[in-house]
Amino acid sequence: MSEPTQSNKKHNLLKIGFLVIAALVILLQMFNFKRSMIKSPYTYLRYLPTTAESATYWFLPMVFGAVFNKRKLRFNEGFKAWAVMEATLIAYYLVYFIMKPGQMSTWFLWGIFFPIMTSSSVLMTGIVFGLLVQPVIYDWQEKFSHKQSLIILTGLTFLGFALSAGTYTLNYSIYGLYLILPFAWGMFLGRIKWTAKRTILSILAGAVAFISVEVGVPGFDAVYWSQVLQGKAINGSWNELFLINVTSPFICLMALAAFAIARKAIKSLEEKDLGFLVILIVFMQAPAARKFMASLKYGTGSRQLNRLITILIMFAIAIVWHFVLDRYLFRFKPVKQINKFLYETKSFGDVVEGCFNRVWGFIKYHRTNLLTWTFFFILAFASFLIESDNLRIQITTAANVNAVVWLVGTKLGPLLLTTIFVDAFFTILYFVTTRYWVSLITTTTVVLAWAIANKIKLSLRGEPIYPSELSEVTNADSLLSMIGGQKTLIMILIGLAVVIALIVFCEIKFKVKKRGNWKRRGLWALASLALFMTPLWFNHQGTPIYYLSGAFGNRQSFRNPERDIQVNGPILNSLNYIDLQIMDKPENYSQSQITKLYQKYQKLADQVNKTRKNNLSDQTVIFNLSESFMDPTTFPTIKFAKGTKDPIPYIHSLKNSTTYGTMLSAGYGGGTANMEWESLTGFNMGAFSTSLTPYVQVVPQYQYYPTIGANFTYSSAVHPFIGTYYSRIEDYKRFKFNKFVYLGSKYKIIDQKKLGTNSYNSDFTTYANGLKQINSRKNGQFINLISIQNHMPYNNWYPKNYYAGKISGDLFSDGDVRTQMATYVMGTHYTDEAVKKFIKQIDKIKKPITMVFYGDHYPSIVSQSYTSKYPVEMHSTRYFIYSNKYARQHGAKAKLTSKTNYVNTSDFIAMMLEQTNSKVTAYQALLTEVHKKLPALTISYSDDSGFTLVDQKGKEVDPKTLTSSQQALLKDYELIQYDMTAGNAYALKIKGFYTMKK
């Protein structure tokens, strides 16, 4: 073998050996050894990970400096290192997101494309900085002798340590500037002649430094903590680990020793080999690296073996990836052009000017697009601000912050995603109309109108507009009456006229040239249409769209609609509701399991029925939902002037003679249909994984939907208002109701009576029509009786209002709020009188009648944000269950004596059956068990999922305190509800489950 061949072979072996050892050292640092080592019984091992990390920060820039010391670099070398880092980060995170899609976020995406700005790798940033200033260091070292250079570098090393007091932390890219110093050391070390004496002295100095560190660091750590315990120092007053800080001269000496040992191998490296080290550094320092690497398992059962396998895999990947990048990266046209430009540019000023000219040229050429996107971002931002509460956003149920600061600081992702959807809507319009201003102004009008409409409903009802409610446009007349009537309509028409005039003016005066040809616009329009299909998967966990949406920070709780729309904006909030996931599927859900539950609760029903003598179908049962009724004397902080009469004396008097208590509502200021659904079905809103309206999103899925009314030969609903809200007309057909009496129905609403200037029919009208229905049939029947009198708004309806000026309290400091509250309280007084009259009337009827009266939710008078302070109180309404004299004479109880203080709407079926002494079905036996053995159930008032459990004293109960039998009962209940809301309705096929066998 010839001498040159032997030399080349030795050269290659040194290079390969160095790269393999360097790779192992770097890849070891993908794992967090600090936590495990700090627990080591051997003191000298505790600080090895930190020592190795600091030494790596010194040694690797030294290597780069030594390799790039032979010539004065062009500006493209820093870009080449950055390009390798960028390509590696893209590939790395692509794999990471495929394997861990739930970790995807816009911050990671931002970090991929702007790694230096986001401090993705401070070590790589330092190396890029070093390559950029290499020409300056090169010229400087050319001017000075080796001795002068050594003195300057040594002085800078000690100066950096002294100025930072040994507390320098490489957390952010700006700190990477310090790594120019070890880079300069590397250039110096690559220039000098290494004698055996210098090599030995360097190695000995490194050994002494290492020993000093091993002894000194634990010693200073002990001194530090002893001072803290003695009160002579406070935690963080100085860095007890300063000897192994990255600026420490001891670390410099250890890196110098490592360089001396590996100098021949380093000398054998070529510039292109350093791309391999760049890849390894990215693997070591990518923000997700340690968590990602530690999560990889191979079924070995050994963490150390898992780590070894991971290191070997990443080493092999780095080799392959280095080969791919070395061969193809700089052939990629954009990279090739930038690299060529930077190589040919001779001065920093030319680089800056050239970059500016290219960026400015791009901006000028695409100025219409850029200005349009910028405007849409501002429009998206404005839509978020519209939903805020006086520029405050409720980030949790107990805290709110400045809206502008919150959105800019934490909600860039949802803002960007909203902007993308707005632009997609514009693109579709633009393709159809081919008119820029028509499309832009129409898009702007739609976005702002949607935001304002949501804000209006949010203010009035405490919830946004749901997509399923768009069908309510058929009730435009009544909707307008709630928000100003003709005045609002006139304002809308004027606004539309202004918009049309603005469009015409802009199209004539500022005509914009069409963007792209029709084929290109068509492709973008198709892509935009496809984008609007993606919300169908927003709530489908495990799908790519779900994770991508989440990466933009679009996370919906579905339990606090007010907070959701404020943090996600009106557009994303609506898109999130397009395809709701109703309930999480129970693990044991199957037809056979439902059959087992039927058998279990049918046995229980048989036991219960031994003590019950009445048949439900023989009774007349009224479920009376009283709109927005609550006991005004229980409103938090409310005070009535001394001597003020009780607004609801009759209902208060029922406390002593009949079943009476507090009902927990799942809504505030709204949610009527949800409370109605709970009362009729016995199901509970708290079991749902999202905030929805079952009447709109659940019931229409079924041809027949079981309610308590199905247990009667005749059932009806009476509502002296428009009947089309919440799909009631169609849903009542699915409930198999025989009749629905409402304004506009074929059945006339009699005795229509309005009080004062209140536009709604009074409760006197409600009960007059209820009484008519009772008297229309001789036998038993079920009546769902819904009032409307106390519906918002509360616009000082009643002349000579007795309660005006007599209300005060912390929540009523505003005069308008006091006026609204006085109007509301007067309305409850009229309800009290109507109830008194109705009960006297049914007491005279010679057939068993039982009335379940309940308020559905609080009135929307004060801000919903107060519910975080008074969660149970502001979700508590009044209820009572009254059986008339004839019913009591024929087996009905006058009053239930247990579990009545706090109940949920879903408890009413079980309670009514007990009070009427009626036999139960298997399902009703389950409801009876839930009522008797579990705390009252309702939606979570403090979290985004699950139940709130409330005891009979009105205190929340920790779910963890439930016994195993209670937890099993709750699971049975949820399983049946899943079957009838998101499942296959197996229980409907079982005779005798929901209704008595005939």
Side-chain angles (χ1 to χ4, degrees):
M1 186 180 292
S2 64
E3 206 170 295
T5 304
Q6 287 181 331
S7 176
N8 287 336
K9 186 176 181 180
K10 183 179 179 181
H11 178 91
N12 289 332
L13 286 173
L14 281 171
K15 179 169 65 174
I16 293 170
F18 173 82
L19 291 174
V20 169
I21 294 171
L24 293 175
V25 172
I26 294 171
L27 292 174
L28 270 171
Q29 295 181 64
M30 294 187 300
F31 304 100
N32 187 7
F33 287 101
K34 293 180 183 179
R35 185 175 298 177
S36 56
M37 284 295 195
I38 201 69
K39 299 177 182 178
S40 172
Y42 304 104
T43 305
Y44 64 89
L45 291 177
R46 294 177 186 174
Y47 306 101
L48 277 179
T50 305
T51 304
E53 183 180 52
S54 296
T56 302
Y57 273 105
W58 262 87
F59 181 71
L60 289 176
M62 277 184 172
V63 172
F64 276 80
V67 174
F68 283 104
N69 82 91
K70 301 177 182 65
R71 61 186 176 89
K72 189 174 180 178
L73 299 182
R74 302 290 184 103
F75 290 103
N76 68 315
E77 294 297 340
F79 167 74
K80 288 169 69 175
W82 178 89
V84 173
M85 172 175 63
E86 182 68 37
T88 304
L89 275 171
I90 292 172
Y92 182 90
Y93 275 102
L94 182 62
V95 174
Y96 176 60
F97 292 149
I98 290 172
M99 296 183 68
K100 303 285 183 181
Q103 301 299 318
M104 195 186 309
S105 72
T106 47
W107 178 249
F108 278 141
L109 296 174
W110 183 262
I112 291 171
F113 297 107
F114 302 97
I116 292 178
M117 289 180 64
T118 55
S119 307
S120 294
S121 172
V122 178
L123 180 53
M124 261 315 303
T125 301
I127 291 171
V128 171
F129 287 161
L131 291 169
L132 290 175
V133 301
Q134 190 269 358
V136 177
I137 300 172
Y138 185 90
D139 289 340
W140 166 62
Q141 291 189 348
E142 282 286 304
K143 294 178 182 178
F144 297 108
S145 65
H146 291 334
K147 184 176 182 180
Q148 290 171 333
S149 295
L150 177 62
I151 293 171
I152 292 171
L153 288 171
T154 302
L156 288 173
T157 302
F158 278 100
L159 186 63
F161 179 66
L163 292 177
S164 67
T167 60
Y168 202 81
T169 56
L170 294 176
N171 296 329
Y172 304 102
S173 289
I174 189 66
Y175 299 143
L177 288 168
Y178 176 82
L179 299 182
I180 294 174
L181 179 59
F183 185 90
W185 267 103
M187 291 182 65
F188 168 73
L189 296 174
R191 285 169 171 260
I192 66 172
K193 183 178 180 181
W194 282 86
T195 62
K197 182 179 180 180
R198 285 179 177 175
T199 302
I200 292 170
L201 285 175
S202 297
I203 294 172
L204 286 174
V208 171
F210 181 76
I211 294 170
S212 300
V213 163
E214 287 300 301
V215 175
V217 172
F220 280 114
D221 188 52
V223 170
Y224 169 75
W225 286 107
S226 66
Q227 288 181 340
V228 171
L229 294 173
Q230 294 173 27
K232 296 178 180 179
I234 59 174
N235 196 352
S237 60
W238 60 284
N239 179 21
E240 72 274 23
L241 305 180
F242 67 93
L243 291 180
I244 52 175
N245 183 261
V246 74
T247 63
S248 170
F250 291 94
I251 294 296
C252 175
L253 289 173
M254 283 188 273
L256 180 63
F259 189 94
I261 294 170
R263 61 183 177 82
K264 291 184 179 179
I266 294 171
K267 190 177 181 179
S268 68
L269 294 175
E270 300 175 53
E271 292 177 1
K272 65 178 183 178
D273 297 324
L274 298 183
F276 179 68
L277 294 181
V278 170
I279 295 169
L280 296 172
I281 292 170
V282 172
F283 289 170
M284 165 191 166
Q285 284 207 308
R290 289 184 173 177
K291 187 175 182 180
F292 183 34
M293 293 299 105
S295 69
L296 299 177
K297 309 294 182 185
Y298 308 100
T300 64
S302 169
R303 184 169 63 173
Q304 303 309 328
L305 185 56
N306 282 339
R307 287 174 172 174
L308 177 60
I309 294 172
T310 300
I311 288 172
L312 294 175
I313 291 172
M314 298 307 290
F315 180 69
I317 291 173
I319 293 173
V320 174
W321 188 240
H322 175 56
F323 171 78
V324 171
L325 293 183
D326 187 52
R327 187 161 186 173
Y328 298 106
L329 178 61
F330 294 96
R331 295 182 185 179
F332 184 50
K333 189 174 181 180
V335 177
K336 184 178 180 180
Q337 289 177 339
I338 296 172
N339 189 53
K340 181 181 178 182
F341 163 70
L342 292 173
Y343 178 81
E344 294 174 348
T345 308
K346 296 182 178 180
S347 70
F348 181 72
D350 291 340
V351 170
V352 173
E353 184 179 359
C355 291
F356 176 81
N357 289 337
R358 283 166 172 76
V359 171
W360 184 246
F362 177 85
I363 291 173
K364 286 179 66 178
Y365 183 77
H366 296 283
R367 62 183 178 275
T368 301
N369 288 341
L370 293 173
L371 287 172
T372 302
W373 293 333
T374 302
F375 173 75
F376 285 154
F377 181 83
I378 295 170
L379 182 63
F381 195 88
S383 72
F384 275 69
L385 291 181
I386 287 170
E387 308 308 330
S388 66
D389 187 9
N390 295 322
L391 293 183
R392 306 290 293 181
I393 283 183
Q394 184 184 0
I395 57 171
T396 67
T397 55
N400 61 70
V401 297
N402 181 277
V404 176
V405 174
W406 170 256
L407 293 173
V408 171
T410 65
K411 283 299 176 181
L412 183 62
L415 282 168
L416 288 173
L417 190 55
T418 298
T419 303
I420 291 170
F421 274 102
V422 171
D423 184 70
F425 182 75
F426 165 81
T427 300
I428 295 169
L429 281 180
Y430 188 63
F431 176 73
V432 174
T433 66
T434 70
R435 294 291 185 269
Y436 178 82
W437 290 110
V438 170
S439 305
L440 183 75
I441 296 174
T442 302
T443 299
T444 304
T445 303
V446 169
V447 171
L448 292 178
W450 183 249
I452 292 169
N454 272 273
K455 180 60 177 178
I456 291 172
K457 186 166 185 254
L458 200 66
S459 300
L460 296 177
R461 305 293 298 273
E463 60 183 10
I465 299 171
Y466 300 121
S468 56
E469 294 176 322
L470 292 177
S471 60
E472 303 297 338
V473 72
T474 56
N475 302 308
D477 290 343
S478 62
L479 289 172
L480 279 172
S481 67
M482 295 180 189
I483 57 173
Q486 288 187 346
K487 291 182 180 179
T488 302
L489 179 60
I490 291 170
M491 290 176 63
I492 292 172
L493 293 175
I494 292 173
L496 288 174
V498 170
V499 167
I500 293 170
L502 183 62
I503 290 173
V504 173
F505 174 76
C506 290
E507 284 291 348
I508 295 173
K509 192 73 175 176
F510 306 104
K511 199 167 185 66
V512 176
K513 185 179 178 182
K514 290 185 176 66
R515 304 195 304 173
N517 57 42
W518 71 270
K519 289 183 178 178
R520 186 177 180 183
R521 294 198 306 273
L523 289 173
W524 277 112
L526 285 174
S528 298
L529 285 171
L531 179 68
F532 277 104
M533 297 294 291
T534 60
L536 294 173
W537 292 273
F538 273 8
N539 301 312
H540 288 254
Q541 294 188 22
T543 63
I545 297 298
Y546 171 83
Y547 290 120
L548 191 59
S549 169
F552 278 94
N554 178 31
R555 302 188 185 280
Q556 196 88 339
S557 69
F558 296 108
R559 282 299 180 87
N560 189 333
E562 183 178 25
R563 181 181 62 185
D564 285 343
I565 195 171
Q566 287 183 343
V567 300
N568 290 322
I571 293 173
L572 289 185
N573 188 75
S574 299
L575 295 176
N576 285 329
Y577 277 94
I578 286 178
D579 184 47
L580 287 177
Q581 297 302 291
I582 297 171
M583 286 182 70
D584 296 329
K585 184 178 180 179
E587 293 182 1
N588 59 339
Y589 177 67
S590 65
Q591 187 169 6
S592 62
Q593 185 62 31
I594 297 298
T595 302
K596 289 179 182 178
L597 287 182
Y598 162 69
Q599 294 168 348
K600 175 181 177 179
Y601 288 101
Q602 184 58 52
K603 289 180 181 178
L604 182 62
D606 293 339
Q607 294 176 4
V608 171
N609 291 339
K610 289 178 181 179
T611 62
R612 304 272 179 99
K613 67 177 185 179
N614 288 334
N615 292 318
L616 184 59
S617 60
D618 296 332
Q619 312 290 312
T620 293
V621 175
I622 306 160
F623 273 24
N624 175 204
L625 184 156
S626 184
E627 173 63 43
S628 299
F629 184 88
M630 49 81 60
D631 187 340
T633 64
T634 64
F635 207 114
T637 79
I638 195 170
K639 295 178 182 177
F640 291 91
K642 189 175 181 180
T644 304
K645 295 178 182 178
D646 183 351
I648 54 170
Y650 180 75
I651 291 176
H652 279 157
S653 72
L654 294 175
K655 182 177 182 179
N656 299 319
S657 59
T658 194
T659 305
Y660 174 100
T662 298
M663 187 205 83
L664 297 170
S665 174
Y668 175 83
T672 298
N674 294 344
M675 300 301 96
E676 185 183 343
W677 178 81
E678 282 193 337
S679 70
L680 294 178
T681 64
F683 295 136
N684 196 290
M685 296 295 296
F688 290 134
S689 56
T690 58
S691 179
L692 49 81
T693 303
Y695 269 16
V696 178
Q697 290 140 324
V698 174
V699 176
Q701 299 178 52
Y702 302 88
Q703 291 295 318
Y704 163 62
Y705 204 86
T707 67
I708 187 63
N711 292 269
F712 297 81
T713 55
Y714 192 92
S715 56
S716 62
V718 177
H719 184 33
F721 190 58
I722 296 169
T724 50
Y725 279 104
Y726 301 111
S727 304
R728 277 194 179 100
I729 295 174
E730 294 302 317
D731 285 352
Y732 285 169
K733 292 177 181 177
R734 293 182 175 90
F735 296 162
K736 304 301 181 185
F737 282 6
N738 301 90
K739 180 196 290 187
F740 180 23
V741 184
Y742 60 92
L743 289 178
S745 70
K746 63 181 181 180
Y747 309 102
K748 184 180 179 181
I749 295 290
I750 66 170
D751 293 349
Q752 294 191 38
K753 178 181 180 182
K754 298 178 174 63
L755 303 174
T757 58
N758 189 337
S759 62
Y760 301 119
N761 275 314
S762 69
D763 285 353
F764 294 99
T765 299
T766 300
Y767 292 125
N769 285 270
L771 187 65
K772 178 184 178 183
Q773 181 58 41
I774 292 172
N775 292 326
S776 69
R777 297 191 60 81
K778 294 181 179 180
N779 299 321
Q781 63 174 311
F782 175 78
I783 304 170
N784 188 41
L785 186 62
I786 310 166
S787 74
I788 190 66
Q789 172 189 290
N790 294 319
H791 196 285
M792 50 71 58
Y794 308 100
N795 295 331
N796 199 15
W797 289 323
Y798 309 115
K800 298 181 181 180
N801 186 341
Y802 172 77
Y803 296 96
K806 297 182 180 181
I807 293 172
S808 61
D810 294 343
L811 302 187
F812 306 100
S813 58
D814 182 88
D816 289 339
V817 171
R818 286 196 299 272
T819 299
Q820 290 180 54
M821 191 63 189
T823 300
Y824 172 75
V825 174
M826 193 66 206
T828 63
H829 179 68
Y830 288 131
T831 297
D832 187 74
E833 292 181 340
V835 167
K836 182 179 180 180
K837 178 181 178 182
F838 183 62
I839 287 181
K840 284 184 178 180
Q841 291 171 327
I842 63 174
D843 263 341
K844 297 176 182 178
I845 299 175
K846 300 300 181 180
K847 59 182 177 182
I849 302 172
T850 294
M851 172 188 184
V852 179
F853 172 97
Y854 64 99
D856 55 345
H857 53 70
Y858 255 58
S860 55
I861 294 175
V862 302
S863 172
Q864 187 181 18
S865 61
Y866 289 112
T867 60
S868 61
K869 188 175 183 180
Y870 308 103
V872 174
E873 292 92 331
M874 292 185 73
H875 287 92
S876 296
T877 66
R878 184 63 64 219
Y879 87 93
F880 65 81
I881 304 176
Y882 181 83
S883 294
N884 72 344
K885 290 180 181 179
Y886 189 90
R888 297 197 301 271
Q889 292 168 356
H890 291 78
K893 298 179 181 179
K895 180 179 181 179
L896 301 181
T897 57
S898 65
K899 297 296 288 289
T900 60
N901 289 343
Y902 282 86
V903 302
N904 183 261
T905 329
S906 57
D907 288 317
F908 288 152
I909 291 176
M911 296 174 72
M912 177 273 296
L913 288 164
E914 183 179 2
Q915 181 152 324
T916 57
N917 199 14
S918 297
K919 299 180 185 298
V920 299
T921 66
Y923 175 60
Q924 293 161 359
L926 168 61
L927 295 182
T928 301
E929 286 289 281
V930 169
H931 169 61
K932 288 185 174 182
K933 295 185 177 180
L934 292 176
L937 307 173
T938 186
I939 65 167
S940 176
Y941 296 145
S942 59
D943 202 354
D944 293 335
S945 61
F947 294 100
T948 287
L949 307 176
V950 179
D951 64 19
Q952 290 302 295
K953 294 182 179 179
K955 303 297 181 183
E956 293 190 33
V957 177
D958 187 344
K960 295 178 182 177
T961 63
L962 293 180
T963 65
S964 57
S965 61
Q966 286 178 313
Q967 291 175 355
L969 175 60
L970 186 57
K971 288 181 179 178
D972 289 348
Y973 181 50
E974 290 180 310
L975 193 64
I976 295 301
Q977 180 160 330
Y978 177 85
D979 181 58
M980 204 60 237
T981 55
N984 298 319
Y986 294 131
L988 269 185
K989 303 171 185 176
I990 302 174
K991 292 183 179 180
F993 187 79
Y994 287 110
T995 58
M996 287 290 183
K997 293 180 180 179
K998 295 180 181 179

